[in-house]
Structure formats: C-alpha cells, structure tokens
Amino acid sequence: GGGKGQSKGKSVIGLKKKDRDDKTNVVFVGGLRKTTTEERVSAHFSKFGEIDNVDIKRLPDGTSRGFCFVKFANAEAIEKVLEAKDRHMIDNKWVDVTRHGGDAFNQEKRKERVQQQAEIARSKQKSESDNTGEQAYDEK
C-alpha cells in the first residue's frame, strides 16, 4: 500500500487533488474582465514561463468572478511575473497579480471569515437568550 493519503479531514472544494498544498508556483490574478478567457490569460503569462494551468473562478452559471489562479511549471516564472507587476494588462484591462496566498488574497479571505464568525456568534447569542430566559428560573 503506502499511498500518500495525508488529508487531515480538510475538505477543499474544487481543487484538483494532486497539488493541494503546492502553491509556490501559483499566482492570483484579480481584476479580470468577465469576458476574459483562460486562453487570453495563458497567452499573457506564457511570456514569463511555461504554464501548467489557468483556473478562472466562475459562478455556478459559468460567469467569471473576475479572478483566476495561474499555475506555472516552475517557481522561477513567479519571480519574473511579480517583478513585472506593473505591466500586466489583459484585454486592455490592468490586472492585479499577487503570489497565491499572498497578502491581498488572505486579507480578503480573513475579512470574510471574521464576518461569518461574527454573524454565527450573533445568531447563537440570540437563540440562547430567547430560549433560556424564563425556564432557568422555574427549574430552581
């Protein structure tokens, strides 16, 4: 046997199994036009190195969410891409390129998570205070 099944119960949605943890050669590209295709993105970034794949994130109906991940065959390409940060224009639109898991991306994610947790906490408090009020006194 001896397979490399080291998934510690993390459900990662929509990621291909093979490189769940290898983000070193992936960049996050934000600010894409809704009409920009994987081919356009690939054509632009292939100047910097060999591309493994381009993953434009889409809504369930197939509309682009305006950002994507570009995975390069090697990490050197990433450095070149990041150095050329100010020159990334696809379909006549400036796009924002950061290291995957870079600050901008994580801040957005963190913001979302904090908001979600706050809402969950709020709804818990509400339901607890609704239920316990009178009953607590009766039992004693």
Side-chain angles (χ1 to χ4, degrees), residues 125-136:
Q125 282 172 350
K126 205 182 288 166
S127 63
E128 280 169 18
S129 60
D130 289 351
N131 301 340
T132 50
E134 295 126 37
Q135 296 152 359

Side-chain angles (χ1 to χ4, degrees), residues 4 13 18 66 80 95 97-98 131:
K4 293 193 304 209
I13 300 156
K18 64 179 169 113
K80 290 183 202 160
V95 295
V97 180
T98 54
N131 301 340

Side-chain angles (χ1 to χ4, degrees), residues 1-20:
K4 293 193 304 209
Q6 298 176 332
S7 60
K8 298 193 178 80
K10 272 196 220 152
S11 64
V12 178
I13 300 156
L15 277 186
K16 290 146 210 79
K17 281 192 200 71
K18 64 179 169 113
D19 21 62
R20 195 171 286 184

Side-chain angles (χ1 to χ4, degrees), residues 33-79:
R33 289 188 188 283
K34 302 263 187 278
T35 52
T36 300
T37 60
E38 278 88 346
E39 288 74 36
R40 293 300 298 253
V41 176
S42 182
H44 173 79
F45 287 105
S46 60
K47 293 180 265 201
F48 300 95
E50 188 189 331
I51 288 177
D52 191 5
N53 76 346
V54 175
D55 184 13
I56 292 181
K57 297 299 177 188
R58 297 180 183 281
L59 297 170
D61 68 358
T63 317
S64 166
R65 290 168 62 190
F67 67 93
C68 72
F69 296 102
V70 180
K71 179 164 193 239
F72 288 90
N74 59 35
E76 289 85 84
I78 299 285
E79 300 309 319

Side-chain angles (χ1 to χ4, degrees), residues 18-30:
K18 64 179 169 113
D19 21 62
R20 195 171 286 184
D21 38 18
D22 180 23
K23 306 256 174 24
T24 49
N25 49 357
V26 177
V27 291
F28 168 78
V29 183

